[in-house]
Amino acid sequence: MGQIKIYGVKDRLNPIKETLSNIIHECMIEALEYPSDKKFHRFFPMEKEDFYFSSERTETYTIIEVSMFEGRTIETKKQLIKLLFERINSQLNISPQDVEITIFETQKHNWGIRGLPGDELVLNYKVNV
């Protein structure tokens, strides 16, 4: 299971939401062997005056938070991060300097999905990759 939150300056984030969502999903599929039909993305476009960040960043500064079941290897998570940086840069021309990615792993029993605790779900994909 994976839930993605994306934060950015509204004027910069809104025009690229669909493309960014597709990039993130492609990276999840490739790095995590995630099913193509599982796409759960939420965008948080923010007014400039509500989004403070370092002067070393530009207005394309974007934060990506990935919440997922625990179980992936360190190498798999690093691969996801590397793919995101590369593809966001190459397809949207957003520098890795302007992207921050955080992965939050949660034990399955701490998720509630389709009326069940996550550890009681039957998944059609592997988590331990």
Side-chain angles (χ1 to χ4, degrees):
M1 188 63 191
Q3 295 279 343
I4 315 295
K5 294 178 187 175
I6 303 102
Y7 302 86
V9 174
K10 179 175 75 172
D11 295 340
R12 299 294 183 141
L13 186 59
N14 280 339
I16 64 166
K17 280 197 275 192
E18 184 175 355
T19 302
L20 182 54
S21 178
N22 290 335
I23 291 168
I24 293 168
H25 193 58
E26 290 167 5
C27 293
M28 295 283 287
I29 291 168
E30 186 172 333
L32 305 182
E33 300 178 20
Y34 203 66
S36 61
D37 64 331
K38 304 289 184 192
K39 188 175 185 180
F40 302 98
H41 300 173
R42 291 165 293 182
F43 284 83
F44 297 87
M46 302 178 74
E47 299 292 339
K48 281 176 60 172
E49 61 268 14
D50 293 327
F51 194 35
Y52 293 89
F53 47 85
S54 169
S55 61
E56 298 169 349
R57 306 297 187 269
T58 72
E59 288 188 12
T60 63
Y61 178 63
T62 305
I63 298 172
I64 300 171
E65 295 180 352
V66 180
S67 297
M68 62 185 181
F69 289 159
E70 66 179 353
R72 277 82 179 192
T73 66
I74 291 171
E75 293 77 19
T76 297
K77 292 178 278 189
K78 285 183 176 185
Q79 177 65 14
L80 174 62
I81 290 169
K82 289 175 186 176
L83 285 172
L84 287 166
F85 282 134
E86 289 169 7
R87 294 193 182 158
I88 291 169
N89 187 29
S90 67
Q91 295 180 40
L92 289 172
N93 201 30
I94 298 175
S95 166
Q97 178 74 14
D98 278 324
V99 178
E100 290 189 12
I101 302 161
T102 307
I103 297 174
F104 298 95
E105 291 184 290
T106 308
Q107 296 175 344
K108 289 181 187 178
H109 66 267
N110 288 331
W111 288 69
I113 304 165
R114 298 189 308 264
L116 294 171
D119 62 344
E120 296 178 17
L121 286 175
V122 176
L123 301 174
N124 62 348
Y125 59 95
K126 298 181 295 181
V127 173
N128 297 328
V129 293

